[in-house]
Amino acid sequence: FSAWLHRARNAGADDLVLAALTFSGRIGESPEEATRIASQTADPWIELDVLAGRAAAERSAGRLTEASSLLDEAERRCAAGAPAYRCLAVTLERAKLELDRYRPAIARELAGDALRRAEALREWPQRLQAIYRAAEAERYRDEKVAARALYREYALSDGSCAAIRAAGTLEAELLFDEHRITRARALASGRPDCGGRPEMVDLVLEVELFQ
């Protein structure tokens, strides 16, 4: 990838460079370059995508203040009439950020707003993201019944093995927190085996339930 990107840069193929940075999730490695190329397009769709990508990279690196500033700028553009699809992505990224800042009430409100907008736009992958963020927010708020219901809706709506297993793991964790150990063990044992390496949350649950 690095060699290909170097050749694209040398060839002055900015459109290919930006596409590569975007689709590989590496905007955070070259934020100034991505911003420069996006601004040259004068396309709100592309500019907002880069802003959201930079915010996600800052959040992942733990630089939450910087991520918030980038999202502030993105939200100003949304208020000025930026594309609705991109603004939906901005709202979902803000919900993630507020969860990282441990502000679950704000995150829940944002996730609910994103859910309504995703349904209105008929953007089903974004709807799934909104449901998952809402479930996480309810879990952080200690609203276990609501969180379990949302995790189930997420699993049913997605339908993939990974989603069903992840939702089952998190629901079992909530049952464990309620000291409903027998029910938590039954749910954990009934999760599908999707192959691959287990997630950390799976390992923690195994230790809690079956030690």
Side-chain angles (χ1 to χ4, degrees):
F1 177 85
S2 297
W4 181 92
L5 195 58
H6 180 70
R7 289 196 298 272
R9 284 170 172 151
N10 285 343
D14 282 351
D15 55 342
L16 295 180
V17 171
L18 183 58
L21 293 173
T22 299
F23 289 110
S24 65
R26 299 188 182 188
I27 284 179
E29 295 178 11
S30 304
E32 294 83 5
E33 180 182 33
T35 300
R36 174 185 60 79
I37 297 171
S39 65
Q40 289 173 349
T41 70
D43 186 333
W45 181 280
I46 295 174
E47 291 180 297
L48 206 56
D49 190 30
V50 168
L51 269 175
R54 288 180 59 193
E58 295 289 351
R59 176 182 54 78
S60 296
R63 295 187 288 268
L64 305 188
T65 300
E66 291 84 347
S68 184
S69 295
L70 289 164
L71 290 175
D72 288 344
E73 172 60 24
E75 286 163 354
R76 283 192 288 271
R77 298 190 185 200
C78 288
Y85 175 88
R86 288 301 186 204
C87 291
L88 176 56
V90 169
T91 300
L92 287 166
E93 180 57 39
R94 174 70 79 176
K96 294 179 189 177
L97 175 63
E98 296 304 337
L99 283 171
D100 284 359
R101 298 166 93 174
Y102 208 80
R103 296 175 178 175
I106 297 174
R108 180 64 180 91
E109 183 176 347
L110 289 163
D113 176 45
L115 179 58
R116 290 186 292 272
R117 287 157 55 197
E119 290 175 342
L121 293 169
R122 302 179 69 82
E123 294 291 349
W124 308 127
Q126 286 72 21
R127 178 181 181 275
L128 278 174
Q129 291 183 48
I131 291 171
Y132 189 82
R133 297 305 157 201
E136 292 287 273
E138 296 291 21
R139 180 165 67 91
Y140 282 25
R141 295 172 66 196
D142 207 28
E143 296 290 345
K144 295 181 175 61
V145 173
R148 288 203 304 272
L150 285 163
Y151 282 132
R152 288 174 195 167
E153 183 176 355
Y154 168 75
L156 290 171
S157 297
D158 186 291
S160 69
C161 184
I164 293 169
R165 181 174 177 83
T169 297
L170 293 165
E171 189 178 347
E173 182 71 35
L174 289 168
L175 289 167
F176 175 82
D177 290 344
E178 295 175 323
H179 306 293
R180 299 167 64 183
I181 308 302
T182 300
R183 176 72 184 111
R185 284 176 175 163
L187 182 60
S189 298
R191 292 171 301 162
D193 182 1
C194 304
R197 299 176 62 182
E199 300 289 338
M200 180 59 68
V201 67
D202 291 302
L203 297 176
V204 171
L205 181 66
E206 294 291 330
V207 170
E208 289 175 337
L209 293 180
F210 301 107
Q211 61 181 342

mmCIF file of all heavy atoms in Angstrom, residues 102-148:
data_model
loop_
_atom_site.group_PDB
_atom_site.id
_atom_site.type_symbol
_atom_site.label_atom_id
_atom_site.label_comp_id
_atom_site.label_asym_id
_atom_site.label_seq_id
_atom_site.Cartn_x
_atom_site.Cartn_y
_atom_site.Cartn_z
ATOM 1 N N TYR A 102 -17.643 9.713 28.086
ATOM 2 C CA TYR A 102 -18.575 9.232 29.102
ATOM 3 C C TYR A 102 -19.688 10.251 29.365
ATOM 4 O O TYR A 102 -19.940 10.675 30.502
ATOM 5 C CB TYR A 102 -17.878 8.853 30.416
ATOM 6 C CG TYR A 102 -18.674 7.787 31.134
ATOM 7 C CD1 TYR A 102 -18.567 6.453 30.750
ATOM 8 C CD2 TYR A 102 -19.566 8.124 32.134
ATOM 9 C CE1 TYR A 102 -19.326 5.478 31.368
ATOM 10 C CE2 TYR A 102 -20.335 7.147 32.755
ATOM 11 C CZ TYR A 102 -20.208 5.830 32.374
ATOM 12 O OH TYR A 102 -20.978 4.873 32.974
ATOM 13 N N ARG A 103 -20.370 10.588 28.283
ATOM 14 C CA ARG A 103 -21.561 11.425 28.340
ATOM 15 C C ARG A 103 -22.705 10.650 27.683
ATOM 16 O O ARG A 103 -23.155 10.984 26.585
ATOM 17 C CB ARG A 103 -21.322 12.748 27.623
ATOM 18 C CG ARG A 103 -20.243 13.612 28.263
ATOM 19 C CD ARG A 103 -19.974 14.853 27.453
ATOM 20 N NE ARG A 103 -18.984 15.716 28.077
ATOM 21 C CZ ARG A 103 -18.506 16.830 27.521
ATOM 22 N NH1 ARG A 103 -18.932 17.199 26.325
ATOM 23 N NH2 ARG A 103 -17.613 17.564 28.155
ATOM 24 N N PRO A 104 -23.155 9.588 28.340
ATOM 25 C CA PRO A 104 -24.112 8.685 27.693
ATOM 26 C C PRO A 104 -25.461 9.323 27.390
ATOM 27 O O PRO A 104 -26.115 8.930 26.416
ATOM 28 C CB PRO A 104 -24.246 7.524 28.681
ATOM 29 C CG PRO A 104 -23.827 8.094 30.001
ATOM 30 C CD PRO A 104 -22.779 9.105 29.691
ATOM 31 N N ALA A 105 -25.904 10.273 28.197
ATOM 32 C CA ALA A 105 -27.203 10.904 27.926
ATOM 33 C C ALA A 105 -27.156 11.664 26.600
ATOM 34 O O ALA A 105 -28.091 11.596 25.783
ATOM 35 C CB ALA A 105 -27.595 11.837 29.069
ATOM 36 N N ILE A 106 -26.053 12.381 26.370
ATOM 37 C CA ILE A 106 -25.893 13.112 25.116
ATOM 38 C C ILE A 106 -25.753 12.123 23.957
ATOM 39 O O ILE A 106 -26.347 12.306 22.885
ATOM 40 C CB ILE A 106 -24.677 14.044 25.184
ATOM 41 C CG1 ILE A 106 -24.878 15.093 26.272
ATOM 42 C CG2 ILE A 106 -24.421 14.711 23.831
ATOM 43 C CD1 ILE A 106 -23.657 15.965 26.514
ATOM 44 N N ALA A 107 -24.965 11.071 24.181
ATOM 45 C CA ALA A 107 -24.776 10.064 23.136
ATOM 46 C C ALA A 107 -26.092 9.398 22.764
ATOM 47 O O ALA A 107 -26.360 9.132 21.584
ATOM 48 C CB ALA A 107 -23.767 9.015 23.596
ATOM 49 N N ARG A 108 -26.926 9.147 23.761
ATOM 50 C CA ARG A 108 -28.227 8.510 23.485
ATOM 51 C C ARG A 108 -29.108 9.428 22.648
ATOM 52 O O ARG A 108 -29.791 8.977 21.715
ATOM 53 C CB ARG A 108 -28.932 8.166 24.804
ATOM 54 C CG ARG A 108 -30.296 7.494 24.613
ATOM 55 C CD ARG A 108 -30.129 6.153 23.937
ATOM 56 N NE ARG A 108 -31.402 5.482 23.742
ATOM 57 C CZ ARG A 108 -32.167 5.600 22.653
ATOM 58 N NH1 ARG A 108 -31.788 6.419 21.666
ATOM 59 N NH2 ARG A 108 -33.294 4.930 22.541
ATOM 60 N N GLU A 109 -29.101 10.706 22.953
ATOM 61 C CA GLU A 109 -29.896 11.664 22.181
ATOM 62 C C GLU A 109 -29.404 11.730 20.737
ATOM 63 O O GLU A 109 -30.207 11.756 19.793
ATOM 64 C CB GLU A 109 -29.809 13.039 22.836
ATOM 65 C CG GLU A 109 -30.666 14.095 22.164
ATOM 66 C CD GLU A 109 -30.625 15.422 22.887
ATOM 67 O OE1 GLU A 109 -30.131 15.460 24.035
ATOM 68 O OE2 GLU A 109 -31.075 16.426 22.308
ATOM 69 N N LEU A 110 -28.094 11.748 20.572
ATOM 70 C CA LEU A 110 -27.516 11.789 19.229
ATOM 71 C C LEU A 110 -27.843 10.517 18.453
ATOM 72 O O LEU A 110 -28.177 10.572 17.258
ATOM 73 C CB LEU A 110 -26.006 11.972 19.325
ATOM 74 C CG LEU A 110 -25.523 13.338 19.778
ATOM 75 C CD1 LEU A 110 -24.066 13.273 20.220
ATOM 76 C CD2 LEU A 110 -25.687 14.362 18.656
ATOM 77 N N ALA A 111 -27.739 9.379 19.116
ATOM 78 C CA ALA A 111 -28.035 8.112 18.448
ATOM 79 C C ALA A 111 -29.502 8.045 18.030
ATOM 80 O O ALA A 111 -29.830 7.556 16.944
ATOM 81 C CB ALA A 111 -27.699 6.939 19.365
ATOM 82 N N GLY A 112 -30.385 8.543 18.894
ATOM 83 C CA GLY A 112 -31.806 8.569 18.542
ATOM 84 C C GLY A 112 -32.074 9.467 17.349
ATOM 85 O O GLY A 112 -32.868 9.118 16.456
ATOM 86 N N ASP A 113 -31.414 10.607 17.318
ATOM 87 C CA ASP A 113 -31.555 11.520 16.185
ATOM 88 C C ASP A 113 -31.035 10.861 14.912
ATOM 89 O O ASP A 113 -31.672 10.930 13.847
ATOM 90 C CB ASP A 113 -30.785 12.810 16.465
ATOM 91 C CG ASP A 113 -30.807 13.780 15.300
ATOM 92 O OD1 ASP A 113 -31.879 13.994 14.719
ATOM 93 O OD2 ASP A 113 -29.743 14.327 14.967
ATOM 94 N N ALA A 114 -29.870 10.207 15.001
ATOM 95 C CA ALA A 114 -29.304 9.522 13.839
ATOM 96 C C ALA A 114 -30.210 8.401 13.364
ATOM 97 O O ALA A 114 -30.364 8.186 12.152
ATOM 98 C CB ALA A 114 -27.921 8.967 14.186
ATOM 99 N N LEU A 115 -30.834 7.695 14.294
ATOM 100 C CA LEU A 115 -31.735 6.607 13.926
ATOM 101 C C LEU A 115 -32.927 7.125 13.128
ATOM 102 O O LEU A 115 -33.296 6.567 12.086
ATOM 103 C CB LEU A 115 -32.209 5.882 15.188
ATOM 104 C CG LEU A 115 -33.188 4.725 14.994
ATOM 105 C CD1 LEU A 115 -32.607 3.657 14.096
ATOM 106 C CD2 LEU A 115 -33.575 4.134 16.349
ATOM 107 N N ARG A 116 -33.522 8.199 13.594
ATOM 108 C CA ARG A 116 -34.673 8.771 12.884
ATOM 109 C C ARG A 116 -34.279 9.252 11.487
ATOM 110 O O ARG A 116 -35.006 9.023 10.510
ATOM 111 C CB ARG A 116 -35.262 9.922 13.705
ATOM 112 C CG ARG A 116 -35.970 9.475 14.977
ATOM 113 C CD ARG A 116 -36.660 10.632 15.662
ATOM 114 N NE ARG A 116 -35.698 11.590 16.214
ATOM 115 C CZ ARG A 116 -35.182 11.497 17.428
ATOM 116 N NH1 ARG A 116 -35.494 10.488 18.223
ATOM 117 N NH2 ARG A 116 -34.335 12.433 17.870
ATOM 118 N N ARG A 117 -33.134 9.889 11.393
ATOM 119 C CA ARG A 117 -32.695 10.403 10.096
ATOM 120 C C ARG A 117 -32.306 9.276 9.149
ATOM 121 O O ARG A 117 -32.565 9.331 7.940
ATOM 122 C CB ARG A 117 -31.546 11.384 10.285
ATOM 123 C CG ARG A 117 -32.012 12.715 10.875
ATOM 124 C CD ARG A 117 -30.902 13.462 11.571
ATOM 125 N NE ARG A 117 -29.760 13.682 10.719
ATOM 126 C CZ ARG A 117 -28.556 14.022 11.180
ATOM 127 N NH1 ARG A 117 -28.352 14.154 12.482
ATOM 128 N NH2 ARG A 117 -27.558 14.215 10.347
ATOM 129 N N ALA A 118 -31.668 8.241 9.674
ATOM 130 C CA ALA A 118 -31.292 7.107 8.836
ATOM 131 C C ALA A 118 -32.528 6.424 8.260
ATOM 132 O O ALA A 118 -32.549 6.022 7.090
ATOM 133 C CB ALA A 118 -30.463 6.107 9.642
ATOM 134 N N GLU A 119 -33.562 6.285 9.087
ATOM 135 C CA GLU A 119 -34.801 5.676 8.601
ATOM 136 C C GLU A 119 -35.470 6.552 7.556
ATOM 137 O O GLU A 119 -35.991 6.056 6.548
ATOM 138 C CB GLU A 119 -35.736 5.399 9.776
ATOM 139 C CG GLU A 119 -35.231 4.270 10.679
ATOM 140 C CD GLU A 119 -36.082 4.074 11.913
ATOM 141 O OE1 GLU A 119 -36.862 5.009 12.257
ATOM 142 O OE2 GLU A 119 -35.961 3.004 12.548
ATOM 143 N N ALA A 120 -35.435 7.873 7.754
ATOM 144 C CA ALA A 120 -36.038 8.787 6.784
ATOM 145 C C ALA A 120 -35.286 8.743 5.455
ATOM 146 O O ALA A 120 -35.900 8.830 4.379
ATOM 147 C CB ALA A 120 -36.046 10.211 7.337
ATOM 148 N N LEU A 121 -33.959 8.596 5.527
ATOM 149 C CA LEU A 121 -33.137 8.536 4.312
ATOM 150 C C LEU A 121 -33.045 7.129 3.731
ATOM 151 O O LEU A 121 -32.475 6.956 2.650
ATOM 152 C CB LEU A 121 -31.719 9.034 4.628
ATOM 153 C CG LEU A 121 -31.576 10.516 4.984
ATOM 154 C CD1 LEU A 121 -30.182 10.796 5.525
ATOM 155 C CD2 LEU A 121 -31.854 11.392 3.768
ATOM 156 N N ARG A 122 -33.567 6.146 4.478
ATOM 157 C CA ARG A 122 -33.501 4.736 4.075
ATOM 158 C C ARG A 122 -32.045 4.278 3.935
ATOM 159 O O ARG A 122 -31.681 3.548 3.015
ATOM 160 C CB ARG A 122 -34.273 4.495 2.778
ATOM 161 C CG ARG A 122 -35.744 4.900 2.874
ATOM 162 C CD ARG A 122 -36.488 4.667 1.575
ATOM 163 N NE ARG A 122 -36.650 3.250 1.294
ATOM 164 C CZ ARG A 122 -37.596 2.463 1.807
ATOM 165 N NH1 ARG A 122 -38.479 2.973 2.675
ATOM 166 N NH2 ARG A 122 -37.672 1.200 1.484
ATOM 167 N N GLU A 123 -31.240 4.718 4.880
ATOM 168 C CA GLU A 123 -29.831 4.339 4.930
ATOM 169 C C GLU A 123 -29.668 3.262 6.005
ATOM 170 O O GLU A 123 -29.447 3.540 7.176
ATOM 171 C CB GLU A 123 -28.951 5.557 5.238
ATOM 172 C CG GLU A 123 -28.937 6.611 4.148
ATOM 173 C CD GLU A 123 -28.232 6.139 2.877
ATOM 174 O OE1 GLU A 123 -27.566 5.073 2.929
ATOM 175 O OE2 GLU A 123 -28.357 6.819 1.850
ATOM 176 N N TRP A 124 -29.781 2.006 5.589
ATOM 177 C CA TRP A 124 -29.865 0.918 6.568
ATOM 178 C C TRP A 124 -28.557 0.626 7.296
ATOM 179 O O TRP A 124 -28.589 0.324 8.497
ATOM 180 C CB TRP A 124 -30.423 -0.329 5.889
ATOM 181 C CG TRP A 124 -31.704 -0.054 5.156
ATOM 182 C CD1 TRP A 124 -31.999 -0.331 3.864
ATOM 183 C CD2 TRP A 124 -32.894 0.596 5.671
ATOM 184 N NE1 TRP A 124 -33.274 0.096 3.538
ATOM 185 C CE2 TRP A 124 -33.839 0.669 4.621
ATOM 186 C CE3 TRP A 124 -33.226 1.147 6.918
ATOM 187 C CZ2 TRP A 124 -35.094 1.257 4.786
ATOM 188 C CZ3 TRP A 124 -34.478 1.728 7.085
ATOM 189 C CH2 TRP A 124 -35.392 1.774 6.033
ATOM 190 N N PRO A 125 -27.382 0.698 6.663
ATOM 191 C CA PRO A 125 -26.156 0.491 7.452
ATOM 192 C C PRO A 125 -25.992 1.537 8.556
ATOM 193 O O PRO A 125 -25.574 1.221 9.678
ATOM 194 C CB PRO A 125 -25.039 0.611 6.394
ATOM 195 C CG PRO A 125 -25.696 0.222 5.122
ATOM 196 C CD PRO A 125 -27.087 0.773 5.217
ATOM 197 N N GLN A 126 -26.350 2.789 8.249
ATOM 198 C CA GLN A 126 -26.268 3.839 9.262
ATOM 199 C C GLN A 126 -27.315 3.627 10.352
ATOM 200 O O GLN A 126 -27.086 3.952 11.525
ATOM 201 C CB GLN A 126 -26.433 5.209 8.610
ATOM 202 C CG GLN A 126 -25.224 5.681 7.826
ATOM 203 C CD GLN A 126 -25.036 4.926 6.520
ATOM 204 O OE1 GLN A 126 -25.984 4.332 5.996
ATOM 205 N NE2 GLN A 126 -23.837 4.950 5.981
ATOM 206 N N ARG A 127 -28.460 3.074 9.969
ATOM 207 C CA ARG A 127 -29.480 2.747 10.974
ATOM 208 C C ARG A 127 -28.926 1.726 11.974
ATOM 209 O O ARG A 127 -29.128 1.854 13.186
ATOM 210 C CB ARG A 127 -30.736 2.189 10.296
ATOM 211 C CG ARG A 127 -31.841 1.784 11.274
ATOM 212 C CD ARG A 127 -33.051 1.207 10.545
ATOM 213 N NE ARG A 127 -34.097 0.851 11.492
ATOM 214 C CZ ARG A 127 -34.153 -0.311 12.137
ATOM 215 N NH1 ARG A 127 -33.209 -1.229 11.934
ATOM 216 N NH2 ARG A 127 -35.136 -0.550 12.996
ATOM 217 N N LEU A 128 -28.212 0.726 11.467
ATOM 218 C CA LEU A 128 -27.613 -0.268 12.353
ATOM 219 C C LEU A 128 -26.613 0.370 13.304
ATOM 220 O O LEU A 128 -26.578 0.052 14.496
ATOM 221 C CB LEU A 128 -26.912 -1.347 11.523
ATOM 222 C CG LEU A 128 -27.782 -2.462 10.954
ATOM 223 C CD1 LEU A 128 -26.950 -3.344 10.049
ATOM 224 C CD2 LEU A 128 -28.403 -3.284 12.074
ATOM 225 N N GLN A 129 -25.785 1.258 12.769
ATOM 226 C CA GLN A 129 -24.821 1.949 13.624
ATOM 227 C C GLN A 129 -25.524 2.742 14.716
ATOM 228 O O GLN A 129 -25.081 2.762 15.873
ATOM 229 C CB GLN A 129 -23.961 2.891 12.785
ATOM 230 C CG GLN A 129 -22.998 2.213 11.849
ATOM 231 C CD GLN A 129 -22.144 3.230 11.120
ATOM 232 O OE1 GLN A 129 -21.589 4.148 11.720
ATOM 233 N NE2 GLN A 129 -22.047 3.084 9.808
ATOM 234 N N ALA A 130 -26.613 3.396 14.346
ATOM 235 C CA ALA A 130 -27.348 4.203 15.322
ATOM 236 C C ALA A 130 -27.940 3.327 16.421
ATOM 237 O O ALA A 130 -27.904 3.697 17.611
ATOM 238 C CB ALA A 130 -28.452 4.992 14.619
ATOM 239 N N ILE A 131 -28.480 2.176 16.061
ATOM 240 C CA ILE A 131 -29.039 1.262 17.063
ATOM 241 C C ILE A 131 -27.942 0.802 18.026
ATOM 242 O O ILE A 131 -28.139 0.775 19.246
ATOM 243 C CB ILE A 131 -29.693 0.046 16.377
ATOM 244 C CG1 ILE A 131 -30.961 0.477 15.625
ATOM 245 C CG2 ILE A 131 -30.045 -1.032 17.409
ATOM 246 C CD1 ILE A 131 -31.545 -0.605 14.752
ATOM 247 N N TYR A 132 -26.783 0.462 17.473
ATOM 248 C CA TYR A 132 -25.688 -0.008 18.319
ATOM 249 C C TYR A 132 -25.213 1.092 19.266
ATOM 250 O O TYR A 132 -24.968 0.835 20.455
ATOM 251 C CB TYR A 132 -24.529 -0.500 17.457
ATOM 252 C CG TYR A 132 -23.453 -1.191 18.246
ATOM 253 C CD1 TYR A 132 -23.591 -2.530 18.604
ATOM 254 C CD2 TYR A 132 -22.314 -0.511 18.662
ATOM 255 C CE1 TYR A 132 -22.620 -3.173 19.346
ATOM 256 C CE2 TYR A 132 -21.333 -1.138 19.395
ATOM 257 C CZ TYR A 132 -21.492 -2.465 19.740
ATOM 258 O OH TYR A 132 -20.523 -3.097 20.496
ATOM 259 N N ARG A 133 -25.086 2.313 18.763
ATOM 260 C CA ARG A 133 -24.661 3.417 19.626
ATOM 261 C C ARG A 133 -25.701 3.697 20.709
ATOM 262 O O ARG A 133 -25.355 4.020 21.854
ATOM 263 C CB ARG A 133 -24.414 4.683 18.808
ATOM 264 C CG ARG A 133 -23.302 4.568 17.798
ATOM 265 C CD ARG A 133 -22.001 4.136 18.420
ATOM 266 N NE ARG A 133 -21.127 3.532 17.410
ATOM 267 C CZ ARG A 133 -20.126 2.721 17.677
ATOM 268 N NH1 ARG A 133 -19.846 2.394 18.921
ATOM 269 N NH2 ARG A 133 -19.395 2.214 16.699
ATOM 270 N N ALA A 134 -26.971 3.586 20.349
ATOM 271 C CA ALA A 134 -28.026 3.774 21.345
ATOM 272 C C ALA A 134 -27.937 2.701 22.427
ATOM 273 O O ALA A 134 -28.104 2.988 23.627
ATOM 274 C CB ALA A 134 -29.393 3.731 20.671
ATOM 275 N N ALA A 135 -27.668 1.459 22.019
ATOM 276 C CA ALA A 135 -27.524 0.370 22.992
ATOM 277 C C ALA A 135 -26.350 0.629 23.929
ATOM 278 O O ALA A 135 -26.451 0.440 25.153
ATOM 279 C CB ALA A 135 -27.327 -0.959 22.260
ATOM 280 N N GLU A 136 -25.222 1.068 23.361
ATOM 281 C CA GLU A 136 -24.054 1.378 24.177
ATOM 282 C C GLU A 136 -24.360 2.500 25.173
ATOM 283 O O GLU A 136 -23.965 2.431 26.343
ATOM 284 C CB GLU A 136 -22.885 1.784 23.278
ATOM 285 C CG GLU A 136 -22.333 0.666 22.438
ATOM 286 C CD GLU A 136 -21.531 -0.321 23.263
ATOM 287 O OE1 GLU A 136 -20.332 -0.094 23.439
ATOM 288 O OE2 GLU A 136 -22.125 -1.300 23.755
ATOM 289 N N ALA A 137 -25.065 3.520 24.701
ATOM 290 C CA ALA A 137 -25.406 4.638 25.583
ATOM 291 C C ALA A 137 -26.295 4.177 26.728
ATOM 292 O O ALA A 137 -26.104 4.572 27.885
ATOM 293 C CB ALA A 137 -26.097 5.741 24.787
ATOM 294 N N GLU A 138 -27.266 3.332 26.429
ATOM 295 C CA GLU A 138 -28.157 2.820 27.483
ATOM 296 C C GLU A 138 -27.382 1.955 28.472
ATOM 297 O O GLU A 138 -27.637 1.995 29.683
ATOM 298 C CB GLU A 138 -29.307 2.030 26.869
ATOM 299 C CG GLU A 138 -30.256 2.849 25.995
ATOM 300 C CD GLU A 138 -31.099 3.846 26.771
ATOM 301 O OE1 GLU A 138 -30.739 4.242 27.908
ATOM 302 O OE2 GLU A 138 -32.136 4.262 26.235
ATOM 303 N N ARG A 139 -26.413 1.191 27.966
ATOM 304 C CA ARG A 139 -25.592 0.380 28.869
ATOM 305 C C ARG A 139 -24.775 1.271 29.787
ATOM 306 O O ARG A 139 -24.660 1.015 30.989
ATOM 307 C CB ARG A 139 -24.672 -0.533 28.047
ATOM 308 C CG ARG A 139 -23.773 -1.429 28.893
ATOM 309 C CD ARG A 139 -23.191 -2.537 28.055
ATOM 310 N NE ARG A 139 -22.259 -2.043 27.067
ATOM 311 C CZ ARG A 139 -20.935 -1.908 27.266
ATOM 312 N NH1 ARG A 139 -20.413 -2.230 28.444
ATOM 313 N NH2 ARG A 139 -20.151 -1.479 26.304
ATOM 314 N N TYR A 140 -24.200 2.338 29.242
ATOM 315 C CA TYR A 140 -23.418 3.260 30.061
ATOM 316 C C TYR A 140 -24.295 3.950 31.107
ATOM 317 O O TYR A 140 -23.821 4.299 32.189
ATOM 318 C CB TYR A 140 -22.770 4.326 29.180
ATOM 319 C CG TYR A 140 -21.545 3.884 28.419
ATOM 320 C CD1 TYR A 140 -21.327 2.548 28.095
ATOM 321 C CD2 TYR A 140 -20.595 4.808 28.002
ATOM 322 C CE1 TYR A 140 -20.225 2.155 27.387
ATOM 323 C CE2 TYR A 140 -19.478 4.413 27.286
ATOM 324 C CZ TYR A 140 -19.296 3.081 26.981
ATOM 325 O OH TYR A 140 -18.185 2.687 26.272
ATOM 326 N N ARG A 141 -25.564 4.166 30.754
ATOM 327 C CA ARG A 141 -26.500 4.823 31.686
ATOM 328 C C ARG A 141 -27.066 3.838 32.709
ATOM 329 O O ARG A 141 -27.872 4.211 33.548
ATOM 330 C CB ARG A 141 -27.655 5.446 30.899
ATOM 331 C CG ARG A 141 -27.250 6.580 29.983
ATOM 332 C CD ARG A 141 -28.401 7.001 29.098
ATOM 333 N NE ARG A 141 -29.490 7.579 29.866
ATOM 334 C CZ ARG A 141 -30.729 7.753 29.402
ATOM 335 N NH1 ARG A 141 -31.043 7.365 28.189
ATOM 336 N NH2 ARG A 141 -31.642 8.314 30.153
ATOM 337 N N ASP A 142 -26.671 2.573 32.608
ATOM 338 C CA ASP A 142 -27.149 1.516 33.487
ATOM 339 C C ASP A 142 -28.634 1.213 33.249
ATOM 340 O O ASP A 142 -29.309 0.713 34.135
ATOM 341 C CB ASP A 142 -26.913 1.864 34.960
ATOM 342 C CG ASP A 142 -26.765 0.605 35.819
ATOM 343 O OD1 ASP A 142 -26.320 -0.433 35.280
ATOM 344 O OD2 ASP A 142 -27.121 0.659 36.998
ATOM 345 N N GLU A 143 -29.106 1.516 32.051
ATOM 346 C CA GLU A 143 -30.481 1.176 31.654
ATOM 347 C C GLU A 143 -30.434 -0.187 30.966
ATOM 348 O O GLU A 143 -30.480 -0.313 29.744
ATOM 349 C CB GLU A 143 -31.043 2.250 30.724
ATOM 350 C CG GLU A 143 -31.187 3.619 31.352
ATOM 351 C CD GLU A 143 -32.300 3.667 32.401
ATOM 352 O OE1 GLU A 143 -33.129 2.742 32.429
ATOM 353 O OE2 GLU A 143 -32.331 4.626 33.189
ATOM 354 N N LYS A 144 -30.350 -1.230 31.774
ATOM 355 C CA LYS A 144 -30.039 -2.557 31.256
ATOM 356 C C LYS A 144 -31.146 -3.133 30.373
ATOM 357 O O LYS A 144 -30.874 -3.783 29.358
ATOM 358 C CB LYS A 144 -29.725 -3.508 32.409
ATOM 359 C CG LYS A 144 -28.468 -3.132 33.185
ATOM 360 C CD LYS A 144 -28.190 -4.123 34.284
ATOM 361 C CE LYS A 144 -26.866 -3.822 34.983
ATOM 362 N NZ LYS A 144 -26.835 -2.500 35.632
ATOM 363 N N VAL A 145 -32.396 -2.917 30.744
ATOM 364 C CA VAL A 145 -33.500 -3.461 29.950
ATOM 365 C C VAL A 145 -33.507 -2.848 28.552
ATOM 366 O O VAL A 145 -33.613 -3.545 27.539
ATOM 367 C CB VAL A 145 -34.849 -3.219 30.655
ATOM 368 C CG1 VAL A 145 -36.009 -3.640 29.754
ATOM 369 C CG2 VAL A 145 -34.895 -3.988 31.979
ATOM 370 N N ALA A 146 -33.374 -1.528 28.494
ATOM 371 C CA ALA A 146 -33.344 -0.845 27.196
ATOM 372 C C ALA A 146 -32.127 -1.275 26.390
ATOM 373 O O ALA A 146 -32.217 -1.481 25.171
ATOM 374 C CB ALA A 146 -33.340 0.663 27.399
ATOM 375 N N ALA A 147 -30.981 -1.413 27.051
ATOM 376 C CA ALA A 147 -29.765 -1.816 26.350
ATOM 377 C C ALA A 147 -29.922 -3.208 25.753
ATOM 378 O O ALA A 147 -29.554 -3.440 24.588
ATOM 379 C CB ALA A 147 -28.577 -1.777 27.306
ATOM 380 N N ARG A 148 -30.467 -4.160 26.524
ATOM 381 C CA ARG A 148 -30.646 -5.516 26.009
ATOM 382 C C ARG A 148 -31.582 -5.528 24.808
ATOM 383 O O ARG A 148 -31.335 -6.213 23.813
ATOM 384 C CB ARG A 148 -31.180 -6.441 27.105
ATOM 385 C CG ARG A 148 -30.162 -6.788 28.178
ATOM 386 C CD ARG A 148 -30.525 -8.077 28.892
ATOM 387 N NE ARG A 148 -31.852 -8.028 29.471
ATOM 388 C CZ ARG A 148 -32.136 -7.559 30.696
ATOM 389 N NH1 ARG A 148 -31.158 -7.092 31.459
ATOM 390 N NH2 ARG A 148 -33.358 -7.557 31.155
#
